[in-house]
Structure formats: structure tokens, C-alpha cells
Amino acid sequence: MRNSTRTLSTLVCLISLGQLASAQSSAASREVNFIADIHKTPDVEWQTELRQHNGWRGFVAQHPQWVVEFNEASGMPRRAFGPPIAVEGANPDERAMNFITGELAGFGLPVQELVPMSTAPANKVTYVHFAQKHVGLPVLFSHVMVKLDAQGHVIAFGADTFDASIVDMQPMIGAGTAATTASEGLSGVTTTTDEGLRILPVPNGHTVDVRLVHEVTVRTASGTPGRYQCWVDAHTGALLHRQNLVVSEHDHGDGADDAADVQVNGSVYTDGALGPLTVEGLPDLRTTINGNFLFADANGFLPTGVAGPVSATFQLRGRWSIVTSGGSNPDFVSTLNEGSNTVSFDADANVRERTAYYHVSSIHNHGIAVLPGFTGMDIALPTKVDVSTATDSCNAYYDGASINFYAQTPGCRALSLYGDVIYHEYGHGINDKFYQSQGGANFTNGAMNEGYADVWSLTLTENPVMTLGWKIGYPDSYIRRYDMDPKVYPIDLVGEPHRDGEIIAGAWWDTYRLLGFDMSLTLQLFSDAFPGLQATAANGLEGQAYRDVLLDVLQADDDDGNIANGTPHGLAIVEAFAIHGITLLSNAQFTHTPVLAASEASPIAINATLNLTFPFSTYVDGGDLHYKVSTASSWTTVPLNVAGSNYSAQIPAQPSGTIVAYYLSAQDIYANAFSSVLPAGAQFEDDTYLPFYTLVGFDLQATEDGDNFSQFGNWNTPVAGDNATTGQWEYGVLIGSYVTPGDPNSIVQPAEQHTVGGELCFFTGNAAGPNESIGANDVDGGKTTIMSDPINLSGYSNPVFTYWRWYTNNSGANPSTDWWQVSISGNNGSTWVPVENTKGTDRSWRRKAFRVQEYVTPSANVRIRFVASDSLRPTIQLNGGSLIEAALDDIQLWDGDENTTSVEEAGDIVSAVYPSPANDALNVVITATDLRALRMDVVDLTGRVVLTPSVANLVAGQPHRIDTRGLAEGQYVLRLVWEGGRSERVFNIMR
């Protein structure tokens, strides 16, 4: 069982743009990132110290209310903004340079090494960008930016420069050796190209290791083609960085009337492969007449200006696209008669070729409308369809010079049938060429690249569901969607560009939604923010890029140059980004020691420190403590008292035997109440992100910590019914697993157990070592269970279990589709009642607490069990396979005085449940409603809660209707639980 090898046998397709992330275990293992900590949040103390340095103190003395975020490695101001600053100059370039040499003189920028990149005017602002060159060599990731408002005043700047004077400029290894190092581990290498020497700043805590590197481009032709950008240390020969830049996922006639005119049509899918074929004009199509090239208009109409009859050659190519299949460009010859003619490509090009051509023109025209003056994609882009290889399928990619769509397979439709896929891949081209047009910048950040490729698609389709029905036989299948389950920073960062890109793309979709589906306004904001070059951030610095986008969007919306006093649409924008964890307080971190236990009859003091990345006090509007007692259905909110960075509040004294759940939140001036939450995600009120739990008046009775205490007897694994083929529960020393080997913040299975000073715990399988792929010995092909021996609770007054758990489920082909389940039995395992059921991920140790009597009657034969599963579901894409890791530690049993109330004496409060069998509705009549923390659940025979009816309108003695239309036929248990009691009734559904 230990160290068994796992293969992703369930993966049928690798979608470069999408939901299928087998690339994580293949492409990710070939890539190398010099950013070691992708989830790093700013060091509050160090940011505070940097603000005390003379450079910033002098600047802010002259310009109060400005705020800054420093590059903690270089000590330079990475991004600063504030009220407008007037500067002299005849044009934006002069103003920017005068600002740099004057206002920023205290920072010691290497002005003589700055070279202009671009001046990018947008609707309300102008960006002036510079890069740094040292003795003629580019300094990678250097970027000086000055942003000017419409009046030419400076409203933001960034000064990411580096001291390159310490670099030994004499390389110790040659280009040939560097090329060999860059190619190691890659298959199908076709060429290696020496791009020359570069200077690479490598962050190292509060310093920068500045390296001389060879830049090498390695091209591969195994499966999806590769174009790897590599940086090899010119002194040590170490491969510091390797990233695949292949991202997967003219004259008209004179209009004379006496001529042969032609309308060129084709049947295409305008709304995906499940929509109808419609006859559309093929825009911008090239036609050859008498040796001359003529181009149709945007509707496929061509007034040739040539008298008929005349022979014309039609090719499936135009101003913006050349479509080929197997290297062949579809064409046909037709005779045009005098007057109106109509021709069709239906007989001479297949539907995939026609659809791809049509949509490339659509996205090209969309791109130039959003970015006026941008001409980088004004080319006939090679558009290759029905691509076939022996090792890859179900794919689409942009390789820097063409967009490519794989042939249909028995498992998936050709993605050239989907406009949104075509827009996505072409969007990579817009990203790529626009950044290059800004002085040679690179759209470096993979998550931003994938997310913004989706934004190009979303803003054209205005449809949040991408590629509906792409999986043959599954009409509800899709690659990504943005109208449900929003991805949140930093919780959902996994180190895979498509997944992480959903965070920023989702923020833009929700901006559009909250702006009242006003696409014109959304595109104006997008157009103004796009030239900010946020995506020049290195992979691993997604949080930095996302925060920069939000600031640029707010400044694009601003009407007076000062976002501190709000912007016209600021509430909608900030709320949209906050849904995805990107807020003005994104890096505000509460520091808090959880109160695990408390004494009865005394208030519970909650104290925390709110650590801000930079002086965002302008945006902080207080914080709240949220708590609820035992099974209360709603949170009570208490404002936190603020004294500087210290936040405090009290939970009122509770009687012995009470469990209190709580979490903390900070809010900003835009009324976003969840700018910062501790524990992260606790506001979602489900089993995924648990709150803190405090036990009031309880005494510890027994512990299983895997190290010094094993007071529950044996833990049994496997048990009857377990069928996981790998990743079964084990006991021992953890070996962590990572999306990116060596990057601790891309962790999937934990590397450390929970017990202070301990070494051992329970976990679902170890890989052979920390550099194995994330698919090595995770839970595969079924479920794995660990279950206690019978525990005698017959003598306990108010027993409570607590445990610490880790569960990850958001990587692989079908993330967030498999269950973590915790159940308890009061009859030695004959029946089970669910305690936790979640399909969500939390890559951290979280503590769960629950009162036994709220689930089963304490007895001499109580068991608890923990199940992690990789379910095989034939009706789900790729059988529902995903990457599952779980761990368990510090299981404890507590007992306390029973927290009794008058409702305990209510006994069995259910007087009737009818009809049974039921069809679409079930009626329940209860005898009392003044029950503290009343909850109603419908449980199936596996012990899973399948329905939680509302109890808001319960009236004693009157029927309460429960809608059961969503339940399958079978037997269920209706369970009512309140503080101090429970009632259950069995009923059936039959149709």
C-alpha cells in the first residue's frame, strides 16, 4: 500500500484551456519556478520597517495619504498610489521622467539604466512604462510605471528596479551547456535557441540574489508542442526557470453597379456544438479574381467591381485567418454572373473549418474594438483544425504563431466547434501581442494569461458557461463556468494556471454582473486597466497581480483622481472582486490564538491583531466577531473594538456543556464585510471551511494523537466496502506532496502532522518522496475508511468529540466532486448518522467539534468513522476522478455538564408525518417550536444528509410542507435536532 504508483487512468483528455488538469502531473513536473512561495503574503513587520526608510518617509511627507506596497526583497516601492500629484512636462513621457528623477530621487532608482517600453493612453489614464538594462542586458521583471490621470497628474507609480552592480558579468558556462541543461527532462526536443544573457533577480527573503543567466528557448514536438522559456544560471549551471509558452487551451473593388457581386456564406455553429447550424456570411474572406485579391466585408459581402461572368477562386482564408486541415486550405472555383451571386463553402469545407474561420474574425474585431489602435493581431493567423497526434487529444492551444484545435474523438467533440474556445485561444494571442507591443513586455503570469483568455471569451459571448456539451454523451458537461462556485484567493490557489486563472476571470464576470450586465461599461474598465501590464508578475505572484488589477480598475472608474473617496461604480467593482477574495484588504491577516476551551459563567475574550500589508487605514471600516452557540442556525455578530492594530470582543458567558463556534472578519469602506476572514472561508457556513470551536466547561477524557496517547482502542482500516486501489489510510510519518515539487505553498498532502511535538498521524497514503507528482498514491478508484473500535459512552453526561482534519479535493480532472465524510454510530455500526459531508477543499489543519447526543444516543457501542473517496461515477466527466488527500490527528473525547433547557423535556415532538409513501411533498406536524437551535434534516440510508428543509415557518400543531421533488425513490429518515433532544421518523418516496 505504501508508496504505490498512481496513474491517471481516468483521464481521457488534456484541455489546455480547461477543466481537465492532468497537465498538473505532467507539464507541471517539467516546469521550474524560481518563486518558491506562491502563497506568500506580505510580511507586516518588514513592510512597516520599509515605510520608515528615508525614501518613503520623504515622499509621503510631501504627499500625504499615499499608500505603498514594497517589494520585500529589493526594498523598492512596488506599487504606490494616492491623491493626484502635479508634474511638469510637455507630454506624458516628460512628466513621467520628471516625476522619476524628482519625486522619486530618494529611492535611488538607477535612472541611467531605465529604457522606455511604451506610453499607453487609455480612456481616463495614461501608463508610461520603463524597463531596466544593466550594461546592455535586460534585467528580468524590472518595471517602472508612472500612471497619469486625464489632467496629466500622477496617481500611481511602481518602481521595481534592482541593484545589478554586484553581478559577475563573466559567464562560467557557455550557451551549449546551458541548452543541454534547459532540455533535461523534456521529450521530443526539436530545437534549442540561445537567446543571449539576461539578469534575473531571485527573491530570497528580504534580499535579492541577482543572477546572470542564459536564456534558452527549447521547442518540443511530443504531444502538444512545447516552447519552453528557460533561464540557466551562467555561473552554477542550475536551471532556475522553465515555463512552457505554448498555452493550451487589401483593396476592395470600386463598388461599381455594373459588376458581379457575391455573398459568401457557410453553415456554422454560432452557439456551440449543441446549438443549431446557422447560415452566416463569412467575414473578411479573400477571393481571387483575375489574379487580384479582393476581400469581403464584415458580413461576407463582396462587391467585386468586375463585370460578369467571371471566374473567382474562394479560399477559406481572409484578413484575419487562414484555416487549414492537414496542411490543406479549403477552396473552390465558381463563375460569378453579372449582378447578385451567392456561394457557399458548405460543400468544400467541413463544419469545423467553417466554424473556426467565422469565430476568428469575430474575436479579432472584438479585440480591436476593446483596444483601439492595437494592430498586433492584424494578420491572417494560421488556424489549424482537426489536428491529430498519437499522444494527445481533446485539446486546443496557442503557440505564439497559430491557434490549433484537435480532431474529434469518441470521448469529446472537436473544440473548433465552440466559439468560446476559439475566443480563448485567440485571446492568448491578443494578450501576447499586446504586451509585446508595449516595449517588448511578456504576458508572463500563467494564471493571468489563462484568466484573461477567458475574459476575452466571456466579454464576447456574455455567457458564463464555457463549452457546453463538449463531452460526447454528456450534454451538461462544460470546461468552466462562472455563475456558480466562485474561486477565491488565496484559498483556491493550487499552482495550476487554468484553476488559478478562474479567480481573476471570475472577478471580471461578477463585475459585469454587478454592473447590471452593462458590457459597454465593463469593457471600458477592462480596456483602461489592461495596459497596466499586471501580468508581468512572475508565476507565483498571482496575489500581487490580482491586487494590481483591482487598483487599476478602480482608478479607471474614478472621476477625481483619488479612489480613497470612492468611485462612481466602486461598490459594484469592489464587491465583485471581493467575491473572489481580491479586496482592498486582500493581504490583511488576522493573527489570533484560537480559544479551544473556556470556563463556564465567564465571558470568552477574543483578541486578535489585524496585520495590514501597507497603510490601508483609509479603507478599513472595522471588524466583527461572529459566533453561534451549539447548533444555532444563525450567527450573532459583535463589533470588534479597535485599538491601533489590536481587535477585541467578548462572547457572553455560556453555561457548562456549551459549544461555541466563531470567526473574525474585517470590512472595508465599500461595505464588503468579508475582506479578511479568519479562519478563511468560515463565512460560507458549510462543512468545508470550519470555524473555531470553543468548549465551555468540558473536561478531556481520552485522546488519540498518534504519538503518546491511544486511548480509544484500535483504529480499523480497511473496512468492509472499501475499494480504493491506492491511497488507503495509513499510520506513520507524513511525506508531503506538491503541485510544484519544492514549492511548500502548492502543497496537497500535508508534510507535518498536527500534534505539538509529535511525529505520527493517520493519512491517506504516502508517495515515495516529496518530489513525486501529486497523483502518486492519492486516493484512487473508490473509498477508504478508518473506523474506531466501539467506545463506551454510556456513563457520560454530555460527551463531545473533537478532531483535526486535512482534506484536499480541488485538483485533477473533476475537482470538488468527491466526498469527505465523517459519521457516528450509536449501535456498533449497524446504522450511521453523518457529522460532516463536504466536497470542498481546505489545505490546512482544521478542528471540528460536535456533541454526540445531537446525532446518536450515547451508548456502550459508539463508533466514529472517517471516509475519503475518489468516486467512480459513469455519468460524470471522466468518472468523477480527482486528486484526493486526507489526514487525521488529535482525536479527543470530552465530557461536561449537560446543558439542559426547558426544551429538553419536550421529548418526541413529531406528532405526524404523511403521506408515506410520499411523492412530491411530505407534511410534518410538530407539537412545539420554542426549541433552541432547532434543525431539520432528511437523511438517506447511507447516512448522508440530502435535504435540509427550512424551519423558519414552523407552527406547532399545523402541517409543515417539505418539497421532496428532488429526492429519488427510496427510504429516508426525517430527523429533527434541537439543543437537548432529537426526533426521527422513517418515510418513503415512491413515484
Side-chain angles (χ1 to χ4, degrees), residues 20 37 63 125 174 195 212 264 340 359 412 417 432 505-506 536 540 555 580 639 649 695 725 734 759 771 810 976:
L20 310 186
D37 185 351
H63 307 293
V125 299
E195 308 289 356
L212 183 69
V264 188
S340 298
H359 286 297
C412 64
L417 299 176
D432 179 29
T536 55
Q555 288 183 321
H580 300 271
L695 305 186
T725 56
L734 279 163
E759 296 180 353
N771 293 325
N810 66 346
L976 284 85

CSV table of all heavy atoms in Angstrom, one decimal, residues 20 37 63 125 174 195 212 264 340 359 412 417 432 505-506 536 540 555 580 639 649 695 725 734 759 771 810 976:
chain,number,residue,atom,x,y,z
A,20,LEU,N,-9.7,20.1,-17.4
A,20,LEU,CA,-9.0,18.8,-17.2
A,20,LEU,C,-7.6,19.1,-16.9
A,20,LEU,O,-6.8,19.6,-17.7
A,20,LEU,CB,-9.1,17.9,-18.4
A,20,LEU,CG,-10.6,17.8,-18.9
A,20,LEU,CD1,-10.6,16.8,-20.0
A,20,LEU,CD2,-11.5,17.4,-17.8
A,37,ASP,N,7.5,30.5,-3.0
A,37,ASP,CA,6.4,30.5,-2.2
A,37,ASP,C,5.3,31.3,-2.9
A,37,ASP,O,5.2,32.5,-2.9
A,37,ASP,CB,6.7,31.3,-0.9
A,37,ASP,CG,5.6,31.3,0.1
A,37,ASP,OD1,4.5,30.9,-0.2
A,37,ASP,OD2,5.8,31.8,1.3
A,63,HIS,N,3.7,64.2,0.1
A,63,HIS,CA,2.4,63.7,-0.5
A,63,HIS,C,1.7,62.8,0.5
A,63,HIS,O,1.6,61.6,0.3
A,63,HIS,CB,2.7,63.0,-1.8
A,63,HIS,CG,3.6,63.7,-2.7
A,63,HIS,ND1,3.2,64.9,-3.3
A,63,HIS,CD2,4.9,63.5,-3.1
A,63,HIS,CE1,4.2,65.4,-4.1
A,63,HIS,NE2,5.2,64.5,-4.0
A,125,VAL,N,-6.8,57.3,-18.3
A,125,VAL,CA,-5.5,57.4,-17.7
A,125,VAL,C,-4.5,57.1,-18.8
A,125,VAL,O,-4.8,56.5,-19.9
A,125,VAL,CB,-5.3,56.3,-16.6
A,125,VAL,CG1,-6.2,56.6,-15.4
A,125,VAL,CG2,-5.5,54.9,-17.1
A,174,GLY,N,29.0,28.0,-21.0
A,174,GLY,CA,28.7,28.5,-22.3
A,174,GLY,C,27.2,28.2,-22.7
A,174,GLY,O,26.5,27.5,-22.0
A,195,GLU,N,19.1,32.6,-26.6
A,195,GLU,CA,18.5,34.0,-26.7
A,195,GLU,C,19.4,35.1,-26.1
A,195,GLU,O,19.1,36.3,-26.2
A,195,GLU,CB,17.2,34.1,-26.0
A,195,GLU,CG,16.2,33.0,-26.5
A,195,GLU,CD,15.7,33.2,-27.9
A,195,GLU,OE1,16.0,34.2,-28.5
A,195,GLU,OE2,14.9,32.3,-28.4
A,212,LEU,N,23.3,36.2,-13.2
A,212,LEU,CA,23.5,36.2,-14.6
A,212,LEU,C,23.0,34.9,-15.2
A,212,LEU,O,23.4,33.8,-14.7
A,212,LEU,CB,25.0,36.5,-14.9
A,212,LEU,CG,25.4,36.6,-16.4
A,212,LEU,CD1,24.8,37.9,-17.0
A,212,LEU,CD2,26.9,36.5,-16.6
A,264,VAL,N,-20.8,35.5,-49.7
A,264,VAL,CA,-20.1,34.2,-49.4
A,264,VAL,C,-20.6,33.7,-48.1
A,264,VAL,O,-20.4,34.4,-47.1
A,264,VAL,CB,-18.6,34.3,-49.4
A,264,VAL,CG1,-18.0,32.9,-49.3
A,264,VAL,CG2,-18.1,35.0,-50.7
A,340,SER,N,-26.2,40.0,-58.7
A,340,SER,CA,-26.0,39.4,-57.4
A,340,SER,C,-25.7,37.9,-57.5
A,340,SER,O,-26.4,37.2,-58.3
A,340,SER,CB,-27.3,39.6,-56.5
A,340,SER,OG,-27.5,40.9,-56.3
A,359,HIS,N,-15.5,32.4,-36.3
A,359,HIS,CA,-15.3,32.9,-35.0
A,359,HIS,C,-13.9,33.7,-34.8
A,359,HIS,O,-13.8,34.6,-34.0
A,359,HIS,CB,-15.4,31.8,-34.0
A,359,HIS,CG,-16.8,31.4,-33.7
A,359,HIS,ND1,-17.8,32.2,-33.2
A,359,HIS,CD2,-17.4,30.2,-34.0
A,359,HIS,CE1,-18.9,31.5,-33.1
A,359,HIS,NE2,-18.7,30.3,-33.6
A,412,CYS,N,-14.8,13.2,-27.0
A,412,CYS,CA,-15.1,14.6,-26.9
A,412,CYS,C,-15.2,15.2,-28.3
A,412,CYS,O,-14.6,14.7,-29.3
A,412,CYS,CB,-14.0,15.4,-26.1
A,412,CYS,SG,-12.4,15.3,-26.9
A,417,LEU,N,-15.5,23.6,-32.8
A,417,LEU,CA,-16.9,23.8,-33.0
A,417,LEU,C,-17.5,24.8,-32.0
A,417,LEU,O,-18.6,25.1,-32.0
A,417,LEU,CB,-17.7,22.5,-32.8
A,417,LEU,CG,-17.3,21.4,-33.8
A,417,LEU,CD1,-18.1,20.1,-33.5
A,417,LEU,CD2,-17.7,21.8,-35.2
A,432,ASP,N,-0.6,38.1,-25.7
A,432,ASP,CA,0.8,38.0,-26.1
A,432,ASP,C,1.3,39.2,-26.9
A,432,ASP,O,2.2,39.9,-26.6
A,432,ASP,CB,1.0,36.7,-26.9
A,432,ASP,CG,2.4,36.5,-27.4
A,432,ASP,OD1,3.3,36.9,-26.7
A,432,ASP,OD2,2.5,35.8,-28.4
A,505,ALA,N,-10.7,35.8,-13.7
A,505,ALA,CA,-11.7,35.8,-14.7
A,505,ALA,C,-13.1,35.9,-14.0
A,505,ALA,O,-14.0,36.6,-14.5
A,505,ALA,CB,-11.7,34.6,-15.6
A,506,GLY,N,-13.2,35.2,-12.9
A,506,GLY,CA,-14.5,35.3,-12.2
A,506,GLY,C,-14.8,36.7,-11.6
A,506,GLY,O,-15.9,37.1,-11.6
A,536,THR,N,2.9,41.0,-16.0
A,536,THR,CA,4.4,40.8,-16.0
A,536,THR,C,4.9,40.2,-14.7
A,536,THR,O,6.0,39.9,-14.6
A,536,THR,CB,5.1,42.2,-16.2
A,536,THR,OG1,4.6,43.1,-15.2
A,536,THR,CG2,4.8,42.7,-17.6
A,540,GLY,N,3.6,32.6,-9.5
A,540,GLY,CA,3.8,32.5,-8.1
A,540,GLY,C,3.4,33.8,-7.4
A,540,GLY,O,3.3,33.8,-6.1
A,555,GLN,N,-9.2,52.9,-10.4
A,555,GLN,CA,-8.7,54.1,-10.9
A,555,GLN,C,-9.2,54.4,-12.3
A,555,GLN,O,-9.4,55.6,-12.6
A,555,GLN,CB,-7.1,54.1,-10.9
A,555,GLN,CG,-6.5,54.2,-9.5
A,555,GLN,CD,-5.0,54.3,-9.5
A,555,GLN,OE1,-4.4,53.6,-10.3
A,555,GLN,NE2,-4.5,55.1,-8.6
A,580,HIS,N,-14.2,37.0,-5.0
A,580,HIS,CA,-13.1,36.1,-5.3
A,580,HIS,C,-11.9,36.4,-4.4
A,580,HIS,O,-10.8,36.0,-4.7
A,580,HIS,CB,-12.8,36.3,-6.8
A,580,HIS,CG,-13.9,35.9,-7.7
A,580,HIS,ND1,-14.1,34.6,-8.1
A,580,HIS,CD2,-14.9,36.7,-8.1
A,580,HIS,CE1,-15.3,34.6,-8.8
A,580,HIS,NE2,-15.8,35.9,-8.8
A,639,PRO,N,-19.5,43.8,17.0
A,639,PRO,CA,-18.4,44.6,16.5
A,639,PRO,C,-17.1,44.4,17.3
A,639,PRO,O,-17.1,44.3,18.6
A,639,PRO,CB,-18.9,46.1,16.6
A,639,PRO,CG,-20.4,46.0,16.7
A,639,PRO,CD,-20.6,44.7,17.4
A,649,ALA,N,-13.1,41.5,21.3
A,649,ALA,CA,-14.5,41.5,21.7
A,649,ALA,C,-14.7,40.3,22.6
A,649,ALA,O,-13.8,39.5,22.9
A,649,ALA,CB,-15.4,41.3,20.4
A,695,LEU,N,-15.0,24.9,23.6
A,695,LEU,CA,-15.7,24.1,24.5
A,695,LEU,C,-15.8,24.7,25.9
A,695,LEU,O,-14.8,25.0,26.5
A,695,LEU,CB,-15.1,22.7,24.6
A,695,LEU,CG,-14.8,21.9,23.3
A,695,LEU,CD1,-14.3,20.5,23.6
A,695,LEU,CD2,-16.0,21.9,22.4
A,725,THR,N,-8.1,1.8,-4.7
A,725,THR,CA,-7.0,1.0,-5.2
A,725,THR,C,-5.6,1.5,-4.7
A,725,THR,O,-4.7,0.8,-4.6
A,725,THR,CB,-7.0,1.0,-6.8
A,725,THR,OG1,-7.0,2.3,-7.3
A,725,THR,CG2,-8.3,0.3,-7.3
A,734,LEU,N,4.3,11.5,7.9
A,734,LEU,CA,3.8,12.1,6.6
A,734,LEU,C,5.0,12.5,5.7
A,734,LEU,O,6.0,12.9,6.1
A,734,LEU,CB,3.0,13.4,6.9
A,734,LEU,CG,1.6,13.2,7.3
A,734,LEU,CD1,1.1,14.5,8.0
A,734,LEU,CD2,0.7,12.9,6.1
A,759,GLU,N,5.0,13.3,15.9
A,759,GLU,CA,5.6,12.9,14.6
A,759,GLU,C,4.6,12.1,13.7
A,759,GLU,O,4.8,12.1,12.5
A,759,GLU,CB,6.8,12.0,14.8
A,759,GLU,CG,8.0,12.7,15.5
A,759,GLU,CD,9.2,11.8,15.7
A,759,GLU,OE1,9.0,10.5,15.5
A,759,GLU,OE2,10.3,12.2,16.1
A,771,ASN,N,9.2,14.9,-4.1
A,771,ASN,CA,9.3,15.3,-5.5
A,771,ASN,C,8.4,14.5,-6.4
A,771,ASN,O,8.4,14.7,-7.6
A,771,ASN,CB,10.7,15.3,-5.9
A,771,ASN,CG,11.6,16.3,-5.2
A,771,ASN,OD1,11.1,17.4,-4.9
A,771,ASN,ND2,12.8,16.0,-4.9
A,810,ASN,N,-9.4,19.6,-4.9
A,810,ASN,CA,-9.6,20.5,-5.9
A,810,ASN,C,-8.6,20.5,-7.0
A,810,ASN,O,-8.4,21.5,-7.7
A,810,ASN,CB,-9.7,22.0,-5.4
A,810,ASN,CG,-8.4,22.5,-4.8
A,810,ASN,OD1,-7.5,21.7,-4.6
A,810,ASN,ND2,-8.3,23.8,-4.5
A,976,LEU,N,-35.2,15.7,13.3
A,976,LEU,CA,-35.2,17.0,13.9
A,976,LEU,C,-34.3,17.0,15.1
A,976,LEU,O,-34.4,16.1,16.0
A,976,LEU,CB,-36.7,17.4,14.4
A,976,LEU,CG,-37.6,17.8,13.3
A,976,LEU,CD1,-38.3,16.6,12.6
A,976,LEU,CD2,-38.7,18.8,13.8
